[in-house]
């Protein structure tokens, strides 16, 4: 039994997992239309590699970019590119952006797959390239490109891979059911990731109530006969699934402020990501589908659906029997870190782990905010050990320098401080706004610095050209004077 540690703060929240945790994964029907936003979670805008009218096959790349944070997007079924137009995208802003729209043809024809014969014979760089080409990103919600995480640089020594099966947000059960249904795929995916990282220690972390998942993974590890991999149960405390919190719980290591897990020798990957890595390497399949929990009292039959990426949410809701009358809010993600959607004609993307159709009783409706009474409860609950009250004062006052001093960018926006705040202050809103302003200010400063460099360069060039002109004119005058002197000397001699 592996020893576990505790992190500061955290909350025991009502889990609401029973709504969907014991439902098997059901394959969602192929939608008539697939919608692909070109903006990725990282903010990178992909460029379409297809044009309207073009036929596509399942697994074909339809958009990509050479930006280092980009991963290609693949068609999730065969059909025809109908158009490329602005649609509302799944983003907290609720704004529209460019999307590729594919009309599916129902044949679901796929490109030929190219599996790797034996991944153990492949160098790490080749595996990373294949993982990027398969469009794999973190499926826990952050959607960070997996190939980049697998390349932490020569200055960092990685010794441990942690697979994150701690699905700590209420309602979400897609990872739990996947671990029960496909433990071998996850274990084999973990072994590929360990090979790509050249590490000898792999830990799969599940919450202590996930008994079936724990047993299924233990049996799969036993069958693999690979003693480098273990599965550990950790306490169900929100937000244990946060990378830095998980590392603390599983290894006792503290990731430094402003640092990343690789700084303490650890790489974390979600269990669903590991399964996708196995599918990409050993079956030659790019990432075109994922398991999504559709839940909440606002939907008739809560389920875990294996859905094609790009499927409109309305299709998934229909397959769950439609809405109950009482639906109050539609959320992508969980109730703590997810965001409200303005409508359901929006597609699921690689980061979509849950669609929560919440009834009135399940969401905090706008409450009356009262002044901060300096009780300190927010600081006790913060899993990052920040001072949320100070962050609140400084972000409210627009003092971004002070926010940085109080480590604003270490805030994981988990919402623990907000849940316990007796004054019901929407603290996370203040932090998000302060982060956006800081990022915007940094971009402005960068633009100004580039403009100044250009201006200085222009002045320098003008001064250089002026000096060169002056030198040329001086030399010319000098040679003229010499010529004249020579002529005068010749005339004198005659
Ligand atoms: S919990 Fe709320 S009221 Fe208490 S110190 Fe924090 S911000 Fe102020
Ligand atoms: S939202 Fe940020 S400040 Fe609040 S508890 Fe979470 S990490 Fe701490």
């Amino acid at each position: 039994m592996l020893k576990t540690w505790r992190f500061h703060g955290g909350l025991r929240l009502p889990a609401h997992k029973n709504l969907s945790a014991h439902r098997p994964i059901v394959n969602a029907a192929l939608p008539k239309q697939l919608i692909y936003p070109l903006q990725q979670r990282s903010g990178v805008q992909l460029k379409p590699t297809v044009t309207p009218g073009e036929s596509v096959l399942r697994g074909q790349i339809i958009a990509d970019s050479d930006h280092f944070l980009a991963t290609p997007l693949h068609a999730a079924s065969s059909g025809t590119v109908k158009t490329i137009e602005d649609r509302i995208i799944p983003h907290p802003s609720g704004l529209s952006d460019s999307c590729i729209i594919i009309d599916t043809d129902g044949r679901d024809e796929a490109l030929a797959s190219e599996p790797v014969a034996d991944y153990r014979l492949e160098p790490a760089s080749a595996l990373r390239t294949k993982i990027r080409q398969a469009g794999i990103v973190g499926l826990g919600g952050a959607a960070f490109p997996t190939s980049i995480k697998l390349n932490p640089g020569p200055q960092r020594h990685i010794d441990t891979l942690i697979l994150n099966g701690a699905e700590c947000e209420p309602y979400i059960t897609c990872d739990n059911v996947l671990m029960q249904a496909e433990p071998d795929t996850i274990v084999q995916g973990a072994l590929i990731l360990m090979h790509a990282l050249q590490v000898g220690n792999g830990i799969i972390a599940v919450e202590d109530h996930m008994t079936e998942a724990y047993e299924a993974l233990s049996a799969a590890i036993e069958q693999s006969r690979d003693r480098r991999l273990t599965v550990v149960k950790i306490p169900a405390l929100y937000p244990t699934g946060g990378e830095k919190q998980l590392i603390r719980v599983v290894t006792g290591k503290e990731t430094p402020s402003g640092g990343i897990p690789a700084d303490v020798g650890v790489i974390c990957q979600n269990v669903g990501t590991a399964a996708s890595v196995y599918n990409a390497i050993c079956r030659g399949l790019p990432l075109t589908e994922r398991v999504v929990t559709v839940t909440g009292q606002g939907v008739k039959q809560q389920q875990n659906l294996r859905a094609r990426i790009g499927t409109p949410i309305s299709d998934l809701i229909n397959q769950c029997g439609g809405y109950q009358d009482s639906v109050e809010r539609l959320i992508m993600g969980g109730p703590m870190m997810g965001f409200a959607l303005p409508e359901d004609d929006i597609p699921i993307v690689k980061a979509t782990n849950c669609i929560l159709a919440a009834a009135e009783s399940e969401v905090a409706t706008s409450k009356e905010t009262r002044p901060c009474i300096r009780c300190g409860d927010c600081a006790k609950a913060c899993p990052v050990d920040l001072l949320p009250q100070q962050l609140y004062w400084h972000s409210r006052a627009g003092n971004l320098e002070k926010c940085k001093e109080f480590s604003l960018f270490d805030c994981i926006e988990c919402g623990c401080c907000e849940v316990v705040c007796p004054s019901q202050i929407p603290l996370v809103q203040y932090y998000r706004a302060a982060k956006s302003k800081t990022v915007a200010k940094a971009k402005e400063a960068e633009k100004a610095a580039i403009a100044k460099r250009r201006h200085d360069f222009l002045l320098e060039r003008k001064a250089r050209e002026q000096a060169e002109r002056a030198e040329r004119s001086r030399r010319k005058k000098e040679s003229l004077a010499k010529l004249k002197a020579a002529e005068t000397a010749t005339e004198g001699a005659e």
Side-chain angles (χ1 to χ4, degrees), residues 371-379 388-389 392 417 420-423 425 427:
C372 169
I373 54 169
R374 300 174 191 270
C375 64
D377 287 356
C378 49
Q389 179 201 347
Y392 163 59
C417 51
V420 298
C421 177
S423 297
I425 302 169
L427 295 165

Side-chain angles (χ1 to χ4, degrees), residues 379-415:
K380 284 183 210 143
C382 178
V384 189
D385 213 358
L386 300 176
L387 292 170
Q389 179 201 347
Q390 303 293 332
L391 281 173
Y392 163 59
W393 289 118
H394 295 310
S395 52
R396 205 180 119 149
N399 192 338
L400 302 178
E401 282 309 310
K402 278 280 176 196
C403 285
K404 269 201 261 175
E405 241 176 68
F406 282 90
S407 308
L408 173 69
F409 280 87
D410 281 344
C411 166
I412 57 170
E413 300 176 16
C414 64

Side-chain angles (χ1 to χ4, degrees), residues 217 326 348 479:
L217 288 166
S326 56
I348 60 154
S479 9

